[in-house]
Amino acid sequence: MTSNLTETETVHVMLLIAGGHQCELSLPVDAPLLQDILEAIALRSHPERSQPNKLFQIPMEDGGPTLYFPSRSIVAIATDPPVSLPDFSTEPEPSQSLQTATTPIVIESKFLKIQNFLNEVDNQRILNYVIENQGEFEDSKIGIDDPNYRRSKIFYYFQEFGDLIKEQIQKVIPQVREHLGLPPFEISEIEAQITAHNHQHYYKAHNDNGDSETANRIISYIYYFHREPKPFNGGELRMYDTLKLSETLYSMPESYTDIPPTNNSIVFFISSCCHEVRPVICPSKNFLDSRFTLNGWIRKA
């Protein structure tokens, strides 16, 4: 153990788990649970080694239920202070312990924002449509039932506008791929949904392709539309940078870029990037004053 990381020090850990769940906890640096989590992450860069799928059990705060998840569902981990991962390139010495991490490479998040994506008529038509269909919106859900992780409303049935946004996206995909540094790929599907964020709604840090059902999502997009002048504050899209810990291992640091929601604009980014929706402040609390998005994912065949 180095002088910068004593055996009595507490490590703050943030876990991103497949299905859009985030778990934060504080552990002693020599806690077996911390060792097991780091080992599960480190083993992914050594496919030649056996990788048992451990079941983690973490009590939630305030005496809530215990969170159960398999080790293979961990999407990313961030620790403060930084700690190094176990080195499986050689057999560890019996006395081996956590060391201060070497400086990782920070890869800045990439995104493309296009203003005035639709014409003014279609932009207003979509807004009018969702306001008229307020009763069709339902509470958002995630893979793990945690009402404190995501708060918003979702609407799935809007074929006319779904076709419109997909048609426009097809026209700019070459530009999007080039900007994001992605090679050409065959598209199997462009998904779409409409989301409404009203007062104190948010979506904590997650990525969009962290499990087997979403693994072929390559590009995420968010089209913004709302009343003018903008009747809410907040609701920024926070794009986190990525820490490259090794050739095959990545994590999420504390550096990020906030992208404000702008009417009739669209943002594209790589689906594996960690991101969140910052809390929305909508003083009127009226549905028609919400932060509306027509958002979705471009899947690779």
Side-chain angles (χ1 to χ4, degrees):
M1 193 74 57
T2 70
S3 60
N4 293 330
L5 192 60
T6 67
E7 294 185 3
T8 60
E9 187 168 352
T10 297
V11 178
H12 180 73
V13 181
M14 181 170 68
L15 290 173
L16 295 184
I17 304 166
H21 192 80
Q22 175 180 312
C23 177
E24 298 186 39
L25 60 157
S26 295
L27 297 169
V29 68
D30 57 351
L33 176 59
L34 178 60
Q35 298 276 2
D36 288 345
I37 291 173
L38 294 173
E39 178 181 304
I41 290 288
L43 278 171
R44 295 185 184 179
S45 61
H46 294 276
E48 74 281 0
R49 288 180 173 266
S50 175
Q51 301 180 34
N53 196 18
K54 297 180 180 180
L55 179 65
F56 289 110
Q57 306 176 36
I58 299 179
M60 304 300 285
E61 296 180 359
D62 303 323
T66 299
L67 173 64
Y68 295 87
F69 61 92
S71 58
R72 291 174 187 168
S73 68
I74 300 175
V75 174
I77 179 174
T79 64
D80 182 19
V83 293
S84 62
L85 296 169
D87 182 6
F88 289 103
S89 59
T90 59
E91 290 298 324
E93 296 295 330
S95 60
Q96 185 178 12
S97 59
L98 293 176
Q99 302 291 325
T100 301
T102 57
T103 302
I105 299 173
V106 178
I107 303 174
E108 295 184 1
S109 56
K110 290 184 179 181
F111 63 89
L112 175 63
K113 184 173 185 177
I114 302 175
Q115 306 282 5
N116 301 315
F117 189 65
L118 300 181
N119 62 56
E120 293 182 5
V121 173
D122 286 334
N123 172 257
Q124 187 63 45
R125 286 176 59 229
I126 295 177
L127 180 61
N128 293 340
Y129 181 79
V130 299
I131 292 174
E132 292 168 0
N133 288 273
Q134 176 180 350
E136 300 298 324
F137 281 76
E138 57 189 70
D139 290 338
S140 303
K141 297 180 177 62
I142 58 174
I144 299 175
D145 187 14
D146 180 1
N148 295 320
Y149 189 76
R150 180 185 185 185
R151 291 183 180 176
S152 60
K153 296 282 188 179
I154 297 289
F155 182 31
Y156 296 102
Y157 310 107
F158 48 94
Q159 181 173 347
E160 176 185 356
F161 299 110
D163 291 343
L164 172 64
I165 200 74
K166 293 173 186 179
E167 179 182 346
Q168 296 303 114
I169 287 174
Q170 289 278 8
K171 296 177 181 178
V172 299
I173 282 180
Q175 176 188 355
V176 173
R177 283 195 296 95
E178 181 178 0
H179 188 87
L180 299 180
L182 295 172
F185 61 90
E186 182 181 351
I187 297 173
S188 64
E189 181 183 6
I190 300 179
E191 300 173 277
Q193 63 183 28
I194 291 177
T195 307
H197 287 85
N198 202 261
H199 187 57
Q200 295 184 344
H201 283 182
Y202 57 83
Y203 194 172
K204 293 183 179 179
H206 63 286
N207 71 359
D208 291 338
N209 60 2
D211 56 36
S212 58
E213 294 183 1
T214 60
N216 67 335
R217 289 176 176 173
I218 304 301
I219 299 173
S220 300
Y221 69 88
I222 303 175
Y223 172 74
Y224 296 99
F225 59 102
H226 54 74
R227 297 179 69 201
E228 295 284 11
K230 187 168 67 174
F232 62 87
N233 296 311
E236 298 87 356
L237 173 65
R238 177 164 292 183
M239 296 288 302
Y240 287 93
D241 296 330
T242 300
L243 281 176
K244 184 176 183 180
L245 303 175
S246 70
E247 287 302 315
T248 57
L249 187 62
Y250 298 83
S251 184
M252 186 182 75
E254 292 300 318
S255 54
Y256 55 80
T257 300
D258 281 347
I259 308 168
T262 306
N263 184 39
N264 201 19
S265 70
I266 190 169
V267 175
F268 296 91
F269 57 93
I270 297 174
S271 297
S272 57
C273 288
C274 294
H275 58 282
E276 67 175 292
V277 177
R278 301 296 295 161
V280 172
I281 305 300
C282 182
S284 74
K285 300 182 182 179
N286 291 332
F287 178 79
L288 55 84
D289 289 336
S290 297
R291 168 196 185 272
F292 294 111
T293 63
L294 203 169
N295 57 286
W297 310 270
I298 302 172
R299 289 184 182 255
K300 179 180 179 180

